[in-house]
C-alpha cells in the first residue's frame, strides 16, 4: 500500500499546520475566556476556513466542502497533533445530524442541525427498552397520533445523558398490528415535555451515565416524525451506521494504547518499570498488533472509498465495531493487571466518564468496566456477529421472530 499523498496534499497539510500555529491555542484576551468558549470561538474560525463539519451544507451550519477523504484524514491528523478541537463528537452531531441529512425534512434540517453542530442542542437516544434485550425491534413504547400531536406512553432504558439532553431521538411503535420490524416510527421529543420523568441508573463504576426515561401521556407535535410513519426502522439503520462508526474509530484505540504504554512505563514489576518485563512486553506487542490491524484495515477501507469501491471492503466495515470493542477490552485488561492493588480503588466522580483520558488509576478502572458496556452499546457483539455472518459471509439468516 502506497501511503504517500503527493504534492497537492502535502501543500494542504502545510496550510493546515500554519492555520493551527496561528489560531491554537488562543492568545491574548481570547485565552482568558472559559475553556468551552475558547473551543467554540476556535471552531467558528476553523469553520470559516472549511476545516470542520465539512460534510454539512452551509445552510445547516457546515463548511460545505467537496468530499475529499484525504483532506479529512490530514485535518484529523494535524488537529489531533495540535490538541485542537475539531468536530464535536457527541451523538447529536455524529449520529442525529447525519441521519437528518439522510432522512429528515428540510424544516427539520434547518431547525435542528445548526444548533446541534454548535453544541447548543444536546441529544439523547431512545432505543433500548426493558424486556427487549438486544432485539431492538421488540420495543413496546407506543405513540398514537391524536389530532395534531403524538401521544406517547412507555419506558426507555440505558439512555445516556438523558438528564441533561434537550431532545431525544427515539423509536416508538405507532402501528401495533403491523409486523415486528414495521409499524415503528422515529420521533424527535423535547425532553422538557410534560409527562417525561428521568431516573439515573447507578453503574458499577459509581457513576450514573445512563438513565431510565418514563413517558406518561406525553404530547409532541405531529411533525416530530423523521421519515414516513411506520418506517422508523429504516431511519434507525442510518443512525446505527453512524453510531457503529463512532464506536469503531481506530484513533480512539491508538490513543488508548499509547496511554497503556505510558502506564507500563510508570508501573513497577520486581522493582523495575513494567515496560521492561518480558511478559508485559509480549502482551503489549500482541495488543499493538490488534491496534495496527484496525488502523491498516481503516486505511484499506479508506483507499477503497476513494476509488468508489466500498463494497470491496464490506466485511471489514461490518467488523469495525466488534473488533474495536474487543481490542479495547484487551487494552483495559492489561492496564488493570498493571495497576495491581490500585485497581481495587473505586474511581472518583471525575474519573467516571470517557473524559478521564486514562491518566489516573481510577480512570483506568472506570474504563476497564466501561469497556464491557461498549460491547453492548450500538449493537451487542452477538448481534454484530450475526450481521457479519449474514451480510458479510453470506451465511443463512437466523430464523426471524414473528
Amino acid at each position: 500500500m502506497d501511503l504517500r499523498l503527493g504534492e497537492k496534499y502535502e501543500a494542504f497539510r502545510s496550510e493546515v499546520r500554519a492555520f493551527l500555529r496561528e489560531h491554537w491555542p488562543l492568545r491574548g484576551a481570547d485565552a482568558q475566556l472559559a475553556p468551552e468558549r475558547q473551543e467554540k470561538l476556535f471552531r467558528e474560525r476553523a469553520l470559516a476556513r472549511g476545516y470542520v463539519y465539512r460534510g454539512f451544507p452551509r445552510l445547516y451550519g457546515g463548511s460545505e466542502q467537496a468530499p475529499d477523504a484525504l483532506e479529512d484524514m490530514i485535518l484529523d491528523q494535524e488537529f489531533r497533533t495540535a490538541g485542537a478541537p475539531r468536530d464535536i463528537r457527541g451523538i447529536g452531531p455524529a449520529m442525529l445530524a447525519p441521519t437528518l441529512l439522510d432522512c429528515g425534512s428540510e424544516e427539520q434540517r434547518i431547525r435542528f442541525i445548526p444548533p446541534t453542530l454548535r453544541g447548543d442542542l444536546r441529544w439523547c437516544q431512545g432505543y433500548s427498552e426493558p424486556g427487549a434485550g438486544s432485539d431492538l425491534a421488540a420495543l413496546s413504547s407506543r405513540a398514537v397520533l391524536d389530532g395534531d400531536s403524538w401521544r406517547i406512553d412507555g419506558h426507555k432504558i440505558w439512555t445516556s445523558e438523558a438528564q441533561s439532553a434537550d431532545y431525544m431521538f427515539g423509536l416508538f411503535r405507532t402501528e401495533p398490528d403491523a409486523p415486528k420490524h414495521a409499524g415503528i416510527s422515529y420521533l424527535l421529543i423535547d425532553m422538557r415535555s410534560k409527562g417525561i420523568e428521568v431516573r439515573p441508573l447507578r453503574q458499577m463504576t459509581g457513576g450514573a451515565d445512563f438513565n431510565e426515561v418514563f413517558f406518561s401521556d406525553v404530547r409532541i407535535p405531529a411533525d416530530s416524525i423523521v421519515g414516513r410513519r411506520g418506517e422508523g426502522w429504516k431511519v434507525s439503520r442510518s443512525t446505527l451506521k453512524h453510531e457503529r462508526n463512532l464506536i469503531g474509530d481506530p484513533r480512539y484505540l491508538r490513543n488508548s494504547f499509547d496511554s497503556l504504554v505510558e502506564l507500563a512505563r510508570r508501573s513497577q514489576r520486581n522493582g523495575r518499570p513494567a515496560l521492561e518485563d518480558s511478559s508485559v512486553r509480549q502482551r503489549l506487542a500482541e495488543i499493538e498488533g490488534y491496534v495496527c490491524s484496525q488502523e491498516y484495515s481503516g486505511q484499506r477501507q479508506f483507499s477503497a472509498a476513494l476509488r468508489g469501491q466500498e463494497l470491496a471492503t464490506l466485511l471489514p466495515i461490518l467488523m469495525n465495531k466488534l473488533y474495536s470493542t474487543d481490542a479495547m477490552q484487551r487494552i483495559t485488561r492489561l492496564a488493570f493487571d498493571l495497576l495491581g492493588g490500585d485497581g481495587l480503588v473505586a474511581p472518583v466522580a471525575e474519573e467516571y466518564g470517557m473524559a478521564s483520558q486514562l491518566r489516573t488509576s481510577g480512570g483506568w478502572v472506570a474504563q476497564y468496566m466501561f469497556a464491557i458496556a461498549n460491547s453492548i452499546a450500538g449493537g451487542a457483539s452477538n448481534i454484530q456477529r450475526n450481521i457479519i455472518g449474514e451480510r458479510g459471509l453470506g451465511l443463512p439468516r437466523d430464523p426471524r421472530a414473528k
Side-chain angles (χ1 to χ4, degrees):
M1 181 184 296
D2 185 356
L3 299 179
R4 292 174 297 179
L5 301 183
E7 291 183 8
K8 171 188 170 185
Y9 289 104
E10 290 307 327
F12 180 73
R13 186 188 298 279
S14 298
E15 172 193 311
V16 174
R17 285 179 178 172
F19 170 82
L20 290 169
R21 279 196 301 272
E22 182 180 352
H23 293 285
W24 187 262
L26 302 188
R27 298 178 179 82
D30 292 343
Q32 305 308 311
L33 298 170
E36 185 177 340
R37 179 64 189 135
Q38 288 190 43
E39 288 193 8
K40 201 163 189 174
L41 184 58
F42 172 78
R43 200 171 275 116
E44 289 172 1
R45 293 167 180 169
L47 179 66
R49 288 292 294 266
Y51 292 162
V52 298
Y53 301 121
R54 290 163 57 86
F56 290 90
R58 288 192 182 279
L59 179 62
Y60 309 138
S63 54
E64 198 167 333
Q65 299 296 301
D68 192 320
L70 287 173
E71 287 190 356
D72 281 344
M73 183 185 73
I74 290 170
L75 285 165
D76 280 342
Q77 291 172 343
E78 297 304 325
F79 273 58
R80 188 168 67 248
T81 300
R86 202 177 169 223
D87 297 3
I88 295 175
R89 299 284 292 169
I91 66 172
M95 292 163 52
L96 187 276
T99 298
L100 291 180
L101 277 187
D102 292 340
C103 311
S105 67
E106 185 64 8
E107 182 184 353
Q108 288 168 341
R109 293 169 183 163
I110 291 173
R111 179 182 174 189
F112 291 116
I113 294 178
T116 299
L117 298 188
R118 290 194 303 268
D120 295 336
L121 206 57
R122 291 168 297 182
W123 293 82
C124 62
Q125 182 186 51
Y127 278 12
S128 298
E129 293 192 6
S134 295
D135 188 359
L136 180 60
L139 61 89
S140 60
S141 291
R142 64 186 185 279
V144 178
L145 192 58
D146 183 6
D148 59 356
S149 66
W150 291 99
R151 189 180 73 245
I152 301 174
D153 291 280
H155 179 189
K156 298 290 180 180
I157 197 168
W158 309 120
T159 310
S160 305
E161 312 300 337
Q163 74 278 28
S164 58
D166 301 295
Y167 271 82
M168 168 187 282
F169 55 91
L171 295 175
F172 295 85
R173 192 161 296 285
T174 51
E175 275 71 34
D177 298 327
K180 186 176 176 183
H181 290 78
I184 294 172
S185 294
Y186 191 107
L187 301 178
L188 307 178
I189 301 169
D190 187 336
M191 291 296 286
R192 295 166 298 184
S193 303
K194 184 181 178 183
I196 294 180
E197 182 184 359
V198 178
R199 298 179 190 169
L201 289 167
R202 188 64 61 188
Q203 301 155 225
M204 64 179 176
T205 60
D209 297 317
F210 304 108
N211 301 273
E212 290 181 281
V213 182
F214 296 87
F215 299 86
S216 179
D217 196 23
V218 175
R219 301 275 181 156
I220 61 170
D223 62 0
S224 301
I225 187 170
V226 179
R228 295 182 178 177
R229 177 173 174 169
E231 295 185 0
W233 187 253
K234 177 181 174 183
V235 180
S236 74
R237 292 179 72 170
S238 171
T239 307
L240 279 172
K241 175 185 69 178
H242 297 296
E243 181 177 11
R244 285 163 183 158
N245 287 339
L246 183 66
I247 295 174
D249 190 340
R251 291 171 297 181
Y252 177 62
L253 273 187
R254 172 54 67 181
N255 292 340
S256 300
F257 178 76
D258 290 345
S259 297
L260 176 64
V261 173
E262 183 56 35
L263 176 64
R265 190 173 283 116
R266 297 196 308 267
S267 303
Q268 295 285 308
R269 281 282 176 92
N270 301 318
R272 299 184 62 81
L275 192 59
E276 298 177 8
D277 184 287
S278 59
S279 64
V280 172
R281 295 175 71 87
Q282 177 71 29
R283 290 178 68 182
L284 283 171
E286 179 184 346
I287 293 170
E288 188 166 30
Y290 285 99
V291 175
C292 288
S293 295
Q294 187 71 351
E295 289 176 327
Y296 294 150
S297 178
Q299 290 283 358
R300 183 177 168 226
Q301 295 166 41
F302 183 70
S303 299
L306 285 178
R307 294 193 297 268
Q309 300 172 348
E310 289 89 345
L311 288 178
T313 55
L314 175 61
L315 184 57
I317 289 171
L318 292 174
M319 293 174 65
N320 283 344
K321 193 262 180 182
L322 175 67
Y323 201 88
S324 292
T325 53
D326 179 70
M328 192 60 195
Q329 286 191 16
R330 293 172 187 272
I331 289 172
T332 55
R333 196 175 299 133
L334 175 53
F336 194 76
D337 291 344
L338 291 173
L339 291 176
D342 289 343
L344 299 175
V345 178
V348 295
E350 57 268 24
E351 296 170 326
Y352 292 157
M354 305 294 286
S356 67
Q357 302 298 314
L358 306 180
R359 295 193 187 100
T360 64
S361 298
W364 276 110
V365 172
Q367 288 304 304
Y368 173 68
M369 292 187 277
F370 192 81
I372 302 170
N374 238 3
S375 298
I376 302 172
S381 293
N382 57 328
I383 300 297
Q384 291 299 113
R385 291 187 176 94
N386 265 11
I387 293 173
I388 292 166
E390 294 172 3
R391 299 185 199 167
L393 301 175
L395 298 176
R397 296 173 67 88
D398 263 2
R400 298 301 183 196
K402 302 293 184 183

